Amino acid sequence: MSGITPSQTVGPYFKYGLTPNGEYEWNDAFDGNLVTPDTSGERIRVEGTVYDGDGKIVPDCMLEIWQADSQGRFSDPQDKRALPNTSFRGFGRVGTSKDGTYAFDTIKPGQVADPDGKPQAPHILMAVFARGMLLHLYTRIYFGGEAANAADPVLALVPADRRATLIAQQANCTGNAVYRFDIHLQGDNETVFFEV
Amino acid sequence: MTLAYPISSLKAHPARLSPDYKSTVKRSPQKPLIIMRHTLSELTGPVYGHETVRENDNDLTIQHKGEPLGERIIVHGHVLDEDGRGVPNTLVELWQANACGRYIHVVDQHPAPLDPNFTGAGRTTSDASGYYKFITIKPGAYPWGNHHNAWRPAHIHFSVFGHSFVSRLVTQMYFPGDPLFPFDPIFNSVTDAAARERMISSFDLENTKPEWALAYRFNIVLRGKNATPMETK
Protein backbone atom coordinates (compact mmCIF):
# COMPACT_ATOMS: atom_id res chain seq x y z
CA MET A 1 0.00 0.00 0.00
CA SER A 2 1.21 3.51 -0.60
CA GLY A 3 -0.29 5.70 2.04
CA ILE A 4 -3.36 5.93 4.20
CA THR A 5 -6.85 7.00 3.24
CA PRO A 6 -7.08 10.74 3.92
CA SER A 7 -9.47 12.08 6.53
CA GLN A 8 -12.51 14.14 5.56
CA THR A 9 -14.85 16.11 7.77
CA VAL A 10 -17.66 14.38 9.62
CA GLY A 11 -19.82 17.19 8.17
CA PRO A 12 -23.03 18.67 9.56
CA TYR A 13 -25.25 15.60 9.13
CA PHE A 14 -23.62 12.79 11.13
CA LYS A 15 -26.16 12.78 13.94
CA TYR A 16 -28.70 10.33 12.50
CA GLY A 17 -25.94 7.82 11.75
CA LEU A 18 -23.46 8.21 14.62
CA THR A 19 -25.25 9.88 17.55
CA PRO A 20 -29.01 9.50 16.90
CA ASN A 21 -29.89 9.53 20.62
CA GLY A 22 -33.51 8.52 20.00
CA GLU A 23 -34.18 11.33 17.51
CA TYR A 24 -33.89 9.19 14.38
CA GLU A 25 -34.90 5.68 13.30
CA TRP A 26 -31.48 4.28 14.01
CA ASN A 27 -29.97 2.88 17.19
CA ASP A 28 -26.93 4.21 18.98
CA ALA A 29 -23.89 1.96 18.84
CA PHE A 30 -22.35 4.08 21.61
CA ASP A 31 -23.44 6.76 23.99
CA GLY A 32 -22.16 8.93 26.81
CA ASN A 33 -22.72 6.45 29.64
CA LEU A 34 -19.71 4.18 30.07
CA VAL A 35 -20.71 2.82 33.47
CA THR A 36 -22.05 -0.72 33.76
CA PRO A 37 -23.45 -2.12 37.01
CA ASP A 38 -20.29 -4.08 37.79
CA THR A 39 -17.93 -1.21 37.06
CA SER A 40 -15.65 -0.53 39.98
CA GLY A 41 -14.17 2.87 40.69
CA GLU A 42 -15.27 6.40 41.43
CA ARG A 43 -18.24 7.39 39.31
CA ILE A 44 -17.80 10.78 37.74
CA ARG A 45 -19.38 13.01 35.14
CA VAL A 46 -17.26 14.95 32.66
CA GLU A 47 -19.14 17.79 31.04
CA GLY A 48 -18.46 20.98 29.17
CA THR A 49 -19.11 23.21 26.20
CA VAL A 50 -17.34 23.36 22.83
CA TYR A 51 -16.44 26.79 21.41
CA ASP A 52 -15.05 27.96 18.06
CA GLY A 53 -12.51 30.72 17.41
CA ASP A 54 -15.15 33.44 17.80
CA GLY A 55 -16.21 32.05 21.16
CA LYS A 56 -19.44 30.77 19.58
CA ILE A 57 -20.78 27.45 20.77
CA VAL A 58 -20.35 24.43 18.46
CA PRO A 59 -23.68 22.58 18.38
CA ASP A 60 -22.64 20.05 15.72
CA CYS A 61 -19.59 18.49 17.31
CA MET A 62 -18.97 14.78 17.97
CA LEU A 63 -16.79 13.82 20.92
CA GLU A 64 -15.32 10.40 21.61
CA ILE A 65 -13.44 9.33 24.72
CA TRP A 66 -11.17 6.37 25.41
CA GLN A 67 -9.90 5.52 28.85
CA ALA A 68 -8.59 2.86 31.20
CA ASP A 69 -10.66 1.41 34.02
CA SER A 70 -10.13 2.35 37.65
CA GLN A 71 -7.10 0.05 37.82
CA GLY A 72 -5.48 1.59 34.78
CA ARG A 73 -6.34 -1.29 32.46
CA PHE A 74 -7.67 -0.91 28.93
CA SER A 75 -10.44 -3.09 27.52
CA ASP A 76 -8.32 -4.15 24.58
CA PRO A 77 -6.43 -7.44 24.10
CA GLN A 78 -3.38 -5.33 23.21
CA ASP A 79 -3.21 -4.44 26.91
CA LYS A 80 -1.60 -7.72 27.96
CA ARG A 81 -1.07 -6.91 31.62
CA ALA A 82 -2.55 -9.48 33.98
CA LEU A 83 -5.03 -7.22 35.73
CA PRO A 84 -8.61 -8.15 36.49
CA ASN A 85 -11.12 -6.24 34.45
CA THR A 86 -14.85 -5.72 34.51
CA SER A 87 -17.16 -5.27 31.56
CA PHE A 88 -16.12 -1.61 31.49
CA ARG A 89 -15.39 -0.86 27.83
CA GLY A 90 -13.80 2.54 28.22
CA PHE A 91 -15.24 4.08 25.05
CA GLY A 92 -17.97 6.69 24.72
CA ARG A 93 -19.39 8.91 22.01
CA VAL A 94 -21.75 11.87 22.15
CA GLY A 95 -22.84 14.74 19.94
CA THR A 96 -22.99 18.23 21.42
CA SER A 97 -26.45 19.63 22.09
CA LYS A 98 -27.97 22.73 20.52
CA ASP A 99 -26.29 24.78 23.25
CA GLY A 100 -22.86 23.26 22.50
CA THR A 101 -22.74 21.19 25.68
CA TYR A 102 -21.85 17.54 26.22
CA ALA A 103 -21.59 15.09 29.12
CA PHE A 104 -20.07 11.67 29.75
CA ASP A 105 -20.87 9.49 32.76
CA THR A 106 -17.86 7.35 33.50
CA ILE A 107 -15.36 6.46 36.20
CA LYS A 108 -12.13 8.12 37.11
CA PRO A 109 -9.42 6.08 35.37
CA GLY A 110 -6.45 4.60 37.16
CA GLN A 111 -2.86 5.36 36.31
CA VAL A 112 -1.21 4.03 33.14
CA ALA A 113 2.54 3.90 32.65
CA ASP A 114 4.34 5.76 29.87
CA PRO A 115 6.78 3.86 27.58
CA ASP A 116 9.55 4.24 30.20
CA GLY A 117 7.38 2.73 32.90
CA LYS A 118 6.83 6.09 34.52
CA PRO A 119 3.25 6.51 35.78
CA GLN A 120 1.07 9.01 33.97
CA ALA A 121 -1.53 10.92 35.93
CA PRO A 122 -5.11 9.69 35.47
CA HIS A 123 -6.36 10.93 32.11
CA ILE A 124 -8.98 10.32 29.43
CA LEU A 125 -8.22 10.60 25.71
CA MET A 126 -10.69 12.63 23.69
CA ALA A 127 -11.16 12.93 19.93
CA VAL A 128 -13.03 15.97 18.59
CA PHE A 129 -14.88 15.86 15.26
CA ALA A 130 -17.06 18.55 13.64
CA ARG A 131 -18.15 20.24 10.46
CA GLY A 132 -15.25 22.51 9.54
CA MET A 133 -12.73 20.02 10.92
CA LEU A 134 -11.15 18.04 8.10
CA LEU A 135 -9.22 15.88 10.55
CA HIS A 136 -10.25 15.20 14.14
CA LEU A 137 -8.21 16.57 17.02
CA TYR A 138 -6.89 14.66 20.01
CA THR A 139 -6.73 16.07 23.49
CA ARG A 140 -6.40 14.67 27.02
CA ILE A 141 -8.60 15.27 30.03
CA TYR A 142 -6.71 15.41 33.33
CA PHE A 143 -8.29 15.96 36.73
CA GLY A 144 -7.92 19.03 38.93
CA GLY A 145 -6.63 18.34 42.43
CA GLU A 146 -4.79 15.19 41.33
CA ALA A 147 -1.33 15.13 42.91
CA ALA A 148 0.08 12.95 40.10
CA ASN A 149 -0.42 15.78 37.59
CA ALA A 150 2.79 17.42 38.81
CA ALA A 151 4.91 14.49 37.59
CA ASP A 152 2.93 13.57 34.47
CA PRO A 153 5.35 13.15 31.54
CA VAL A 154 2.85 14.34 28.93
CA LEU A 155 1.70 17.44 30.83
CA ALA A 156 5.40 18.24 31.20
CA LEU A 157 5.63 18.60 27.39
CA VAL A 158 2.99 21.33 27.44
CA PRO A 159 3.98 24.96 28.02
CA ALA A 160 3.10 25.77 31.63
CA ASP A 161 0.72 28.58 30.68
CA ARG A 162 -1.38 26.21 28.56
CA ARG A 163 -1.60 23.22 30.88
CA ALA A 164 -4.78 24.44 32.55
CA THR A 165 -6.69 23.83 29.30
CA LEU A 166 -6.14 20.08 29.85
CA ILE A 167 -7.25 19.93 33.47
CA ALA A 168 -10.93 19.39 34.19
CA GLN A 169 -11.98 21.20 37.32
CA GLN A 170 -14.33 19.67 39.82
CA ALA A 171 -17.64 21.47 40.09
CA ASN A 172 -19.16 22.23 43.45
CA CYS A 173 -22.00 19.76 43.80
CA THR A 174 -23.28 16.87 45.87
CA GLY A 175 -23.38 13.25 44.69
CA ASN A 176 -20.98 11.91 42.09
CA ALA A 177 -18.09 14.21 41.23
CA VAL A 178 -18.64 16.44 38.20
CA TYR A 179 -15.62 17.66 36.26
CA ARG A 180 -15.91 20.56 33.86
CA PHE A 181 -13.88 20.36 30.65
CA ASP A 182 -14.62 23.05 28.06
CA ILE A 183 -13.05 22.77 24.61
CA HIS A 184 -11.87 25.83 22.71
CA LEU A 185 -11.01 24.88 19.14
CA GLN A 186 -9.15 28.17 18.63
CA GLY A 187 -8.36 31.48 20.32
CA ASP A 188 -6.79 32.79 23.51
CA ASN A 189 -7.94 29.84 25.58
CA GLU A 190 -7.30 27.32 22.81
CA THR A 191 -7.30 23.79 24.20
CA VAL A 192 -4.01 21.96 23.88
CA PHE A 193 -4.23 19.33 21.14
CA PHE A 194 -1.72 16.57 20.50
CA GLU A 195 -0.13 15.37 17.28
CA VAL A 196 -0.34 11.64 17.80
CA MET B 1 11.46 10.07 19.71
CA THR B 2 10.23 6.64 18.65
CA LEU B 3 6.64 6.42 17.61
CA ALA B 4 4.89 3.11 17.20
CA TYR B 5 2.65 4.68 14.57
CA PRO B 6 4.84 7.00 12.49
CA ILE B 7 3.36 10.47 12.27
CA SER B 8 4.80 10.75 8.75
CA SER B 9 1.71 8.77 7.68
CA LEU B 10 -0.39 11.78 8.63
CA LYS B 11 0.82 13.87 5.71
CA ALA B 12 -1.85 12.29 3.52
CA HIS B 13 -4.47 14.18 5.54
CA PRO B 14 -5.78 17.63 4.68
CA ALA B 15 -4.46 20.69 6.50
CA ARG B 16 -6.86 21.52 9.29
CA LEU B 17 -6.95 25.12 8.11
CA SER B 18 -8.08 24.90 4.47
CA PRO B 19 -9.58 28.36 3.86
CA ASP B 20 -11.43 27.39 0.67
CA TYR B 21 -13.59 25.29 3.00
CA LYS B 22 -14.78 28.27 4.98
CA SER B 23 -15.91 26.48 8.13
CA THR B 24 -12.30 25.49 8.84
CA VAL B 25 -11.30 29.11 9.49
CA LYS B 26 -12.79 29.32 13.00
CA ARG B 27 -12.59 25.63 13.82
CA SER B 28 -8.90 24.87 13.41
CA PRO B 29 -6.30 25.40 16.12
CA GLN B 30 -3.79 28.22 15.67
CA LYS B 31 -1.33 27.10 18.30
CA PRO B 32 1.11 24.27 17.57
CA LEU B 33 -0.02 20.75 18.36
CA ILE B 34 2.10 19.04 21.01
CA ILE B 35 4.09 16.07 19.71
CA MET B 36 4.35 13.24 22.23
CA ARG B 37 5.30 9.60 22.42
CA HIS B 38 2.49 7.12 22.11
CA THR B 39 1.66 5.54 25.44
CA LEU B 40 -0.58 2.57 26.09
CA SER B 41 -3.49 5.04 26.07
CA GLU B 42 -2.83 5.89 22.41
CA LEU B 43 -1.79 2.38 21.36
CA THR B 44 -4.96 0.67 22.53
CA GLY B 45 -8.44 1.34 21.23
CA PRO B 46 -12.05 0.32 21.53
CA VAL B 47 -12.80 -3.22 20.39
CA TYR B 48 -16.31 -3.63 19.05
CA GLY B 49 -17.47 -6.62 17.13
CA HIS B 50 -20.62 -8.34 16.08
CA GLU B 51 -22.53 -7.57 19.28
CA THR B 52 -22.73 -3.95 18.11
CA VAL B 53 -24.25 -4.82 14.74
CA ARG B 54 -27.73 -6.19 14.10
CA GLU B 55 -28.59 -8.47 11.23
CA ASN B 56 -29.12 -6.42 8.06
CA ASP B 57 -27.53 -3.26 9.47
CA ASN B 58 -25.26 -3.41 6.41
CA ASP B 59 -28.20 -3.37 3.97
CA LEU B 60 -29.65 0.14 3.78
CA THR B 61 -32.28 -0.96 1.26
CA ILE B 62 -34.27 -3.20 3.61
CA GLN B 63 -34.60 -1.07 6.72
CA HIS B 64 -38.15 0.10 5.92
CA LYS B 65 -41.44 -1.26 4.60
CA GLY B 66 -40.59 -0.58 0.98
CA GLU B 67 -37.47 -0.28 -1.08
CA PRO B 68 -35.78 3.12 -1.35
CA LEU B 69 -35.79 4.90 -4.69
CA GLY B 70 -32.55 5.23 -6.58
CA GLU B 71 -29.81 3.14 -8.03
CA ARG B 72 -29.09 0.10 -5.85
CA ILE B 73 -25.35 -0.43 -5.36
CA ILE B 74 -22.93 -2.74 -3.56
CA VAL B 75 -20.10 -0.95 -1.74
CA HIS B 76 -17.42 -3.29 -0.52
CA GLY B 77 -13.72 -3.61 0.09
CA HIS B 78 -11.10 -4.22 2.72
CA VAL B 79 -10.05 -2.31 5.78
CA LEU B 80 -6.28 -2.50 5.64
CA ASP B 81 -3.43 -1.06 7.59
CA GLU B 82 -0.63 0.78 5.90
CA ASP B 83 1.46 -2.37 5.84
CA GLY B 84 -1.16 -4.05 3.66
CA ARG B 85 -2.57 -6.28 6.36
CA GLY B 86 -6.31 -6.69 6.69
CA VAL B 87 -7.80 -5.15 9.83
CA PRO B 88 -10.14 -7.86 11.13
CA ASN B 89 -13.32 -7.51 13.19
CA THR B 90 -13.35 -3.73 13.20
CA LEU B 91 -16.49 -1.63 13.18
CA VAL B 92 -17.31 0.19 9.93
CA GLU B 93 -20.10 2.78 10.04
CA LEU B 94 -21.51 4.80 7.16
CA TRP B 95 -24.08 7.49 6.55
CA GLN B 96 -25.19 9.23 3.38
CA ALA B 97 -27.76 11.32 1.52
CA ASN B 98 -30.56 9.65 -0.41
CA ALA B 99 -30.69 9.31 -4.19
CA CYS B 100 -31.94 12.91 -4.48
CA GLY B 101 -29.06 14.32 -2.46
CA ARG B 102 -31.14 14.89 0.68
CA TYR B 103 -30.10 13.85 4.19
CA ILE B 104 -32.70 12.82 6.73
CA HIS B 105 -30.95 15.15 9.24
CA VAL B 106 -33.32 17.93 10.41
CA VAL B 107 -30.79 20.63 9.55
CA ASP B 108 -30.71 19.65 5.85
CA GLN B 109 -33.14 22.00 4.09
CA HIS B 110 -32.17 21.20 0.49
CA PRO B 111 -35.50 21.25 -1.38
CA ALA B 112 -35.22 17.68 -2.63
CA PRO B 113 -37.59 14.97 -1.40
CA LEU B 114 -36.94 12.74 1.56
CA ASP B 115 -37.50 9.05 0.93
CA PRO B 116 -39.67 7.38 3.58
CA ASN B 117 -37.92 4.11 2.80
CA PHE B 118 -34.39 5.36 3.33
CA THR B 119 -32.64 6.45 6.53
CA GLY B 120 -29.13 6.39 5.11
CA ALA B 121 -27.26 4.86 8.06
CA GLY B 122 -25.51 1.50 8.24
CA ARG B 123 -22.85 -0.40 10.10
CA THR B 124 -20.97 -3.65 9.81
CA THR B 125 -17.80 -5.30 11.01
CA SER B 126 -14.93 -6.40 8.85
CA ASP B 127 -14.36 -10.15 8.68
CA ALA B 128 -11.18 -12.02 9.59
CA SER B 129 -9.46 -10.72 6.43
CA GLY B 130 -10.66 -7.14 6.86
CA TYR B 131 -13.40 -7.46 4.22
CA TYR B 132 -16.65 -5.50 4.58
CA LYS B 133 -19.76 -5.10 2.42
CA PHE B 134 -22.76 -2.78 2.30
CA ILE B 135 -25.81 -2.67 0.07
CA THR B 136 -27.23 0.81 -0.39
CA ILE B 137 -28.38 3.24 -3.05
CA LYS B 138 -26.18 5.70 -4.87
CA PRO B 139 -26.39 9.09 -3.12
CA GLY B 140 -27.09 12.25 -5.10
CA ALA B 141 -24.97 15.40 -5.27
CA TYR B 142 -26.32 18.29 -3.23
CA PRO B 143 -25.80 22.04 -2.87
CA TRP B 144 -24.21 23.69 0.15
CA GLY B 145 -23.56 27.24 1.26
CA ASN B 146 -19.78 27.42 1.12
CA HIS B 147 -19.70 29.64 -1.99
CA HIS B 148 -21.88 30.56 -4.96
CA ASN B 149 -23.18 27.47 -6.77
CA ALA B 150 -21.33 25.09 -4.45
CA TRP B 151 -22.23 21.39 -4.84
CA ARG B 152 -20.77 18.42 -3.04
CA PRO B 153 -19.80 15.49 -5.26
CA ALA B 154 -21.81 12.39 -4.42
CA HIS B 155 -20.19 10.72 -1.41
CA ILE B 156 -20.71 8.26 1.41
CA HIS B 157 -19.35 9.09 4.87
CA PHE B 158 -17.32 6.33 6.52
CA SER B 159 -16.22 5.95 10.14
CA VAL B 160 -13.64 3.27 11.00
CA PHE B 161 -11.77 2.33 14.18
CA GLY B 162 -8.77 0.10 13.44
CA HIS B 163 -6.06 -1.14 15.78
CA SER B 164 -5.84 1.81 18.17
CA PHE B 165 -7.35 5.15 19.11
CA VAL B 166 -4.77 6.88 16.90
CA SER B 167 -5.82 4.85 13.84
CA ARG B 168 -9.36 6.26 14.10
CA LEU B 169 -10.54 7.56 10.73
CA VAL B 170 -13.58 9.43 9.46
CA THR B 171 -13.55 9.96 5.71
CA GLN B 172 -15.76 10.22 2.63
CA MET B 173 -15.93 7.79 -0.27
CA TYR B 174 -16.44 9.33 -3.69
CA PHE B 175 -17.54 7.83 -7.01
CA PRO B 176 -15.26 7.59 -10.06
CA GLY B 177 -15.40 10.30 -12.71
CA ASP B 178 -17.49 12.82 -10.77
CA PRO B 179 -17.55 16.14 -12.70
CA LEU B 180 -17.73 18.08 -9.42
CA PHE B 181 -14.27 17.02 -8.20
CA PRO B 182 -12.39 20.11 -9.48
CA PHE B 183 -14.79 22.44 -7.69
CA ASP B 184 -15.14 20.84 -4.26
CA PRO B 185 -12.96 22.39 -1.50
CA ILE B 186 -13.46 19.42 0.82
CA PHE B 187 -12.26 16.86 -1.72
CA ASN B 188 -9.42 19.20 -2.74
CA SER B 189 -8.39 19.87 0.86
CA VAL B 190 -6.29 16.76 0.26
CA THR B 191 -3.53 18.39 -1.75
CA ASP B 192 -1.72 15.25 -2.91
CA ALA B 193 -3.33 13.87 -6.08
CA ALA B 194 -2.45 10.27 -5.27
CA ALA B 195 -3.97 10.63 -1.80
CA ARG B 196 -7.15 12.10 -3.30
CA GLU B 197 -7.41 9.04 -5.55
CA ARG B 198 -7.52 6.85 -2.46
CA MET B 199 -10.86 8.45 -1.52
CA ILE B 200 -12.43 7.46 -4.86
CA SER B 201 -14.06 4.06 -5.14
CA SER B 202 -13.54 2.04 -8.28
CA PHE B 203 -16.29 0.57 -10.41
CA ASP B 204 -16.21 -3.19 -9.94
CA LEU B 205 -17.73 -5.07 -12.87
CA GLU B 206 -16.58 -8.41 -11.54
CA ASN B 207 -18.73 -8.07 -8.41
CA THR B 208 -21.61 -6.29 -10.10
CA LYS B 209 -24.67 -8.54 -9.78
CA PRO B 210 -26.44 -9.07 -13.12
CA GLU B 211 -30.01 -7.77 -13.23
CA TRP B 212 -29.57 -6.35 -9.71
CA ALA B 213 -26.85 -3.87 -8.66
CA LEU B 214 -23.60 -2.20 -9.69
CA ALA B 215 -20.65 -2.76 -7.39
CA TYR B 216 -18.04 -0.26 -6.20
CA ARG B 217 -14.87 -1.23 -4.40
CA PHE B 218 -13.47 1.00 -1.66
CA ASN B 219 -10.44 -0.05 0.35
CA ILE B 220 -9.85 1.93 3.52
CA VAL B 221 -6.21 2.17 4.57
CA LEU B 222 -5.47 3.00 8.21
CA ARG B 223 -2.21 3.87 9.90
CA GLY B 224 0.16 0.95 10.36
CA LYS B 225 2.63 0.28 13.09
CA ASN B 226 5.61 -0.29 10.83
CA ALA B 227 4.63 1.69 7.79
CA THR B 228 8.00 3.36 7.48
CA PRO B 229 11.22 2.88 9.43
CA MET B 230 10.84 4.04 13.02
CA GLU B 231 11.46 7.73 13.39
CA THR B 232 14.20 8.87 15.67
CA LYS B 233 14.09 12.39 17.00
Side-chain angles (χ1 to χ4, degrees), chain A residues 176-192:
Chain A
N176 293 347
V178 174
Y179 286 90
R180 180 150 194 94
F181 188 79
D182 290 339
I183 298 152
H184 296 266
L185 298 177
Q186 191 186 86
D188 291 342
N189 291 322
E190 188 175 298
T191 299
V192 167

Side-chain angles (χ1 to χ4, degrees), chain A residues 25 38 69 84 90 92 97 99 102 148 167 189:
Chain A
E25 279 185 72
D38 65 342
D69 69 12
S97 304
D99 59 359
Y102 76 91
I167 300 173
N189 291 322

Side-chain angles (χ1 to χ4, degrees), chain A residues 8 16 64 89 138 196, chain B residues 38 47 96 163 165 168 174:
Chain A
Q8 295 273 267
Y16 70 90
E64 292 181 345
R89 303 295 290 269
Y138 289 103
V196 291
Chain B
H38 295 148
V47 180
Q96 63 167 88
H163 291 305
F165 203 51
R168 183 86 177 88
Y174 299 92

Side-chain angles (χ1 to χ4, degrees), chain B residues 107-161:
Chain B
V107 169
D108 186 3
Q109 297 298 316
H110 173 37
L114 286 169
D115 184 339
N117 290 315
F118 192 71
T119 299
R123 63 174 76 99
T124 191
T125 50
S126 61
D127 71 10
S129 70
Y131 178 77
Y132 75 90
K133 179 180 176 179
F134 288 98
I135 298 163
T136 184
I137 52 100
K138 193 171 181 184
Y142 60 86
W144 61 310
N146 190 69
H147 55 275
H148 174 67
N149 207 12
W151 292 78
R152 293 299 326 281
H155 61 273
I156 296 177
H157 296 266
F158 274 82
S159 163
V160 191
F161 282 86

Side-chain angles (χ1 to χ4, degrees), chain A residues 2 4-8 16 27 53 64 76 78 89 93 116 123 131-132 138 140 186 190 195-196, chain B residues 13 21 25-28 30 37-38 41-42 45 47 93 96 123 163 165 168 171 174 198 221:
Chain A
S2 54
I4 60 173
T5 304
S7 174
Q8 295 273 267
Y16 70 90
N27 68 321
E64 292 181 345
D76 178 341
Q78 294 177 105
R89 303 295 290 269
R93 173 194 282 172
D116 298 329
H123 63 275
R131 173 179 67 84
Y138 289 103
R140 282 179 162 220
Q186 191 186 86
E190 188 175 298
E195 181 90 280
V196 291
Chain B
H13 290 314
Y21 173 22
V25 174
K26 296 293 182 185
R27 292 184 169 195
S28 49
Q30 291 171 327
R37 288 192 299 177
H38 295 148
S41 309
E42 287 76 29
V47 180
E93 300 167 277
Q96 63 167 88
R123 63 174 76 99
H163 291 305
F165 203 51
R168 183 86 177 88
T171 189
Y174 299 92
R198 295 198 290 274
V221 185

Side-chain angles (χ1 to χ4, degrees), chain B:
Chain B
M1 187 186 290
T2 303
L3 289 175
Y5 288 79
I7 57 171
S8 55
S9 305
L10 300 175
K11 52 178 200 287
H13 290 314
R16 290 190 171 87
L17 175 61
S18 296
D20 288 347
Y21 173 22
K22 288 179 183 162
S23 299
T24 66
V25 174
K26 296 293 182 185
R27 292 184 169 195
S28 49
Q30 291 171 327
K31 297 184 165 71
L33 271 55
I34 306 290
I35 298 175
M36 56 172 282
R37 288 192 299 177
H38 295 148
T39 75
L40 198 57
S41 309
E42 287 76 29
L43 296 175
T44 51
V47 180
Y48 285 93
H50 296 287
E51 80 284 0
T52 315
V53 179
R54 300 166 301 185
E55 194 183 358
N56 298 327
D57 272 359
N58 70 332
D59 187 342
L60 285 73
T61 69
I62 58 170
Q63 293 173 355
H64 296 274
K65 281 187 185 139
E67 284 199 84
L69 294 172
E71 185 183 342
R72 187 189 300 118
I73 58 172
I74 297 160
V75 175
H76 70 146
H78 284 81
V79 182
L80 302 164
D81 66 25
E82 213 174 344
D83 316 312
R85 291 182 293 237
V87 179
N89 308 316
T90 196
L91 187 68
V92 181
E93 300 167 277
L94 68 70
W95 70 104
Q96 63 167 88
N98 69 22
C100 303
R102 177 80 187 268
Y103 286 89
I104 204 167
H105 194 288
V106 291
V107 169
D108 186 3
Q109 297 298 316
H110 173 37
L114 286 169
D115 184 339
N117 290 315
F118 192 71
T119 299
R123 63 174 76 99
T124 191
T125 50
S126 61
D127 71 10
S129 70
Y131 178 77
Y132 75 90
K133 179 180 176 179
F134 288 98
I135 298 163
T136 184
I137 52 100
K138 193 171 181 184
Y142 60 86
W144 61 310
N146 190 69
H147 55 275
H148 174 67
N149 207 12
W151 292 78
R152 293 299 326 281
H155 61 273
I156 296 177
H157 296 266
F158 274 82
S159 163
V160 191
F161 282 86
H163 291 305
S164 77
F165 203 51
V166 297
S167 62
R168 183 86 177 88
L169 179 74
V170 170
T171 189
Q172 300 180 23
M173 183 204 95
Y174 299 92
F175 291 87
D178 197 309
L180 291 168
F181 285 154
F183 314 108
D184 180 43
I186 293 180
F187 177 74
N188 290 295
S189 68
V190 177
T191 53
D192 177 57
R196 280 198 301 275
E197 287 295 317
R198 295 198 290 274
M199 302 189 291
I200 306 172
S201 58
S202 56
F203 172 59
D204 182 358
L205 181 64
E206 194 182 336
N207 288 289
T208 287
K209 281 181 100 170
E211 322 293 332
W212 198 70
L214 298 184
Y216 290 88
R217 178 170 283 276
F218 182 55
N219 289 340
I220 300 165
V221 185
L222 306 177
R223 290 171 79 181
K225 278 191 179 172
N226 306 303
T228 53
M230 289 289 199
E231 287 183 309
T232 307
K233 267 188 191 168

